[in-house]
Amino acid sequence: MNKASQKSYSLPASHLLLALAIVAVWGTNFVVIKLSLNSFPPFLFAALRYTFAFLPLALFFPIPKVSWVNLCTYGVAVGVGQFGILYFAIDGRISPGLASLVIQTQVFFTIGFAMFFAKERLRTYQTIALLVAITGLVVIALHTDANTTFLGLALVVFAGLSWGVANTVSRRAGSINMLSYVVWASGFAIPPLFVMSYLFEGGWSHMGSSLVSAPVGAWAGVLWQSWANTLFGYGAWAWLLSKHPAAVVAPAPLLVPIFGMGAAAYFLAEPLPPWKIEAAGLVIAGLIVNLFWPSIELKLKRHFS
């Protein structure tokens, strides 16, 4: 654990801007997922994503100096547990805008794992922030319908759990080349995803027909998933987690729903009823408290001292 994890502080401005760039890519990515699922079944789509994240870059990046168990765990957690399941959920079981909000349960899992394994302490303001965000998720659970099922909610929460596992594992990797780490970890997601596609999505014949009939736009979606979302997004994200306490960094993706729900409303005409805006507002309020309270508290102390 680095020295930064021993004290309360806000993210440096440059790191905060990097986090915002990451969540912008992740948020708008939910529209890309939904559109690409019109051409590819979910597990095949995920398998293609990690195939192109692994190749050809694995030929140019050295194997990171971390255990194979760590690499495998991260790759399977992100590739299968997070995105394989997330794609399956968005494929008719939950709307992409809400999925971008519900998957932020990763924050609770990431912080919980950090408390258990790294003995990080949860401060009072962080507890309040998490409770506010949880209230927003409860609002969603009370508004399931034909487009958002309880199964879809459960699947995306599981995806959030898997993301939390991946965050915890990547932090244990230490100070290494995180882009190389993400590239090589992606290789471990490929075999189980292709096996799942073969078993549950119609075998080789259906997989082959999907590959042949997919339009250029769908393949562009695969490459966006592989390079922008995986290599840039998760490479930079793992780097941030290696530099800062989980409780400081993990809530940043709570901004993903702003981009996710906005993009879904604009490109997919996904409705934004008042309850959905209320839920998003509560989740974002939790993020604001968690990220900015330390600097606000410090300024108040200086003002009144």
Side-chain angles (χ1 to χ4, degrees):
M1 187 185 302
N2 55 38
K3 293 181 180 180
S5 64
Q6 303 297 326
K7 59 182 179 179
S8 176
Y9 65 102
S10 297
L11 287 176
S14 59
H15 293 191
L16 180 58
L17 289 174
L18 177 60
L20 290 175
I22 293 169
V23 299
V25 170
W26 284 348
T28 55
N29 189 56
F30 285 82
V31 170
V32 178
I33 292 172
K34 182 64 175 179
L35 294 176
S36 299
L37 286 172
N38 292 329
S39 302
F40 296 113
F43 297 131
L44 177 61
F45 183 38
L48 292 172
R49 166 186 178 149
Y50 287 96
T51 297
F52 288 104
F54 180 65
L55 295 172
L57 290 182
L59 301 176
F60 303 98
F61 283 85
I63 300 174
K65 295 180 179 180
V66 66
S67 72
W68 288 107
V69 172
N70 185 289
L71 270 180
C72 179
T73 303
Y74 179 85
V76 172
V78 167
V80 181
Q82 183 182 348
F83 280 100
I85 297 301
L86 178 65
Y87 291 177
F88 183 71
I90 292 178
D91 192 31
R93 296 165 184 85
I94 190 171
S95 64
L98 279 184
S100 72
L101 185 63
V102 176
I103 199 170
Q104 300 319 316
T105 51
Q106 65 87 16
V107 173
F108 315 134
F109 294 119
T110 299
I111 293 176
F113 290 146
M115 292 173 63
F116 183 81
F117 292 108
K119 308 304 179 184
E120 293 184 11
R121 296 179 60 186
L122 192 66
R123 296 167 64 87
T124 301
Y125 75 88
Q126 292 169 334
T127 302
I128 295 172
L130 291 176
L131 290 175
V132 171
I134 289 172
T135 303
L137 296 178
V138 171
V139 171
I140 297 173
L142 296 175
H143 289 84
T144 56
D145 54 24
N147 296 319
T148 301
T149 64
F150 278 111
L151 176 60
L153 284 173
L155 289 170
V156 178
V157 169
F158 180 82
L161 168 65
S162 298
W163 191 357
V165 170
N167 287 340
T168 303
V169 171
S170 69
R171 295 187 76 219
R172 287 177 167 269
S175 298
I176 59 173
N177 185 321
M178 283 302 174
L179 182 55
S180 178
Y181 179 77
V182 170
V183 167
W184 279 92
S186 296
F188 289 96
I190 299 170
L193 286 169
F194 272 119
V195 169
M196 292 168 70
S197 181
Y198 175 81
L199 293 176
F200 303 114
E201 295 174 343
W204 296 121
S205 59
H206 188 259
M207 293 168 67
S209 63
S210 297
L211 296 174
V212 171
S213 62
V216 173
W219 285 104
V222 171
L223 296 181
W224 178 261
Q225 297 288 298
S226 301
W227 297 342
N229 196 49
T230 301
L231 298 181
F232 166 71
Y234 282 84
W237 179 246
W239 181 82
L240 284 176
L241 281 170
S242 71
K243 299 296 182 181
H244 302 286
V248 175
V249 180
L254 288 173
L255 279 175
V256 166
I258 294 293
F259 296 97
M261 296 172 71
Y266 184 81
F267 292 105
L268 302 176
E270 185 176 316
L272 285 174
W275 68 264
K276 191 180 291 188
I277 297 174
E278 175 188 351
L282 287 168
V283 173
I284 299 308
L287 166 68
I288 291 173
V289 171
N290 191 84
L291 285 183
F292 296 107
W293 181 257
S295 60
I296 294 173
E297 185 179 36
L298 180 61
K299 290 179 181 178
L300 289 175
K301 286 180 178 179
R302 288 177 177 175
H303 179 76
F304 289 106
S305 62

